[in-house]
Amino acid sequence: HLLIMPITIALAIFFYPTTSNSNSTGSPGGKTGSPVDVGNCMGCHTDALQGQGAEITTDIPSTGYTPGNTYTITAMLNLGVGSGDPKGFEVTCEENATNTKAGLFGASDPTNTQLKNNGTAVTHTTAGNSMNTWSFNWVAPIAGTGAITFYGAFIEAGYPLGTNFTDYFSSVTLTVSPSCID
């Protein structure tokens, strides 16, 4: 009878479920790999393999952004062998010269996207983690800001296998200049 209690405790510890590094509710913030954020999804998804890539597109004209104007930004994860759910992303924008956050994001689709870091970044929601394309708004920064870069980090998580077994990571940047009237 003296061995039953220690054996029971040992088995409980051995079979206790481990926590997955999943953030199905969205990135905790600061995980885009930008100069300010430094970290990316690989901080939690440590064993993630290289993904099939990602894209950030926008309706900013080729002549550049106009300060104060609102633009639509689209983040898209190219699906590969890890095309299961969940999927997620975080995007931010920084001024190239000073590496400071530039502009403000708006969640035009609050069901699938949400703001992070006081509106300087956007990520997926729980409902949005089954998608591979997300769109949101970005208000261009004030005049004199200069060229900016959007930074995006994307993950295809290995759920239901868990514990990052078959995760895939991708990152991408998009640089945009201000318009000539800036």
Side-chain angles (χ1 to χ4, degrees), residues 118-182:
N118 298 316
T120 61
V122 65
T123 186
H124 63 282
T125 62
T126 301
N129 75 7
S130 63
M131 303 170 66
N132 71 308
T133 302
W134 304 267
S135 291
F136 39 90
N137 293 328
W138 177 73
V139 179
I142 62 171
T145 299
I148 53 93
T149 299
F150 292 95
Y151 296 86
F154 300 79
I155 200 81
E156 291 178 82
Y159 183 82
L161 298 176
T163 62
N164 306 325
F165 180 66
T166 56
D167 293 354
Y168 292 88
F169 170 73
S170 298
S171 64
V172 67
T173 61
L174 173 67
T175 300
V176 180
S177 296
S179 66
C180 294
I181 60 172
D182 180 21

Side-chain angles (χ1 to χ4, degrees), residues 9 18 37 61 64 73 79 81 91 96 114 131 135 140 144 148-150 156 173 176:
I9 291 172
T18 59
D37 292 346
I73 311 299
L79 297 179
V81 292
V91 169
N96 293 356
Q114 61 184 313
M131 303 170 66
S135 291
I148 53 93
T149 299
F150 292 95
E156 291 178 82
T173 61
V176 180

Side-chain angles (χ1 to χ4, degrees), residues 63-113:
T63 56
Y65 69 84
T66 301
N69 279 12
T70 300
Y71 298 99
T72 300
I73 311 299
T74 301
M76 185 179 86
L77 177 62
N78 299 328
L79 297 179
V81 292
S83 60
D85 290 333
K87 294 174 274 302
F89 80 101
E90 183 181 351
V91 169
T92 195
C93 182
E94 295 177 8
E95 182 179 9
N96 293 356
T98 62
N99 290 331
T100 56
K101 299 294 181 181
L104 288 175
F105 289 96
S108 58
D109 179 9
T111 300
N112 297 305
T113 62

Side-chain angles (χ1 to χ4, degrees), residues 16-84:
Y16 188 79
T18 59
T19 304
S20 173
N21 290 328
S22 173
N23 284 312
S24 62
T25 59
S27 169
K31 303 295 182 193
T32 64
S34 74
V36 172
D37 292 346
V38 182
N40 59 33
C41 304
M42 296 295 285
C44 293
H45 299 269
T46 55
D47 294 330
L49 304 171
Q50 180 63 45
Q52 297 295 311
E55 297 177 57
I56 297 175
T57 59
T58 178
D59 63 353
I60 297 172
S62 61
T63 56
Y65 69 84
T66 301
N69 279 12
T70 300
Y71 298 99
T72 300
I73 311 299
T74 301
M76 185 179 86
L77 177 62
N78 299 328
L79 297 179
V81 292
S83 60

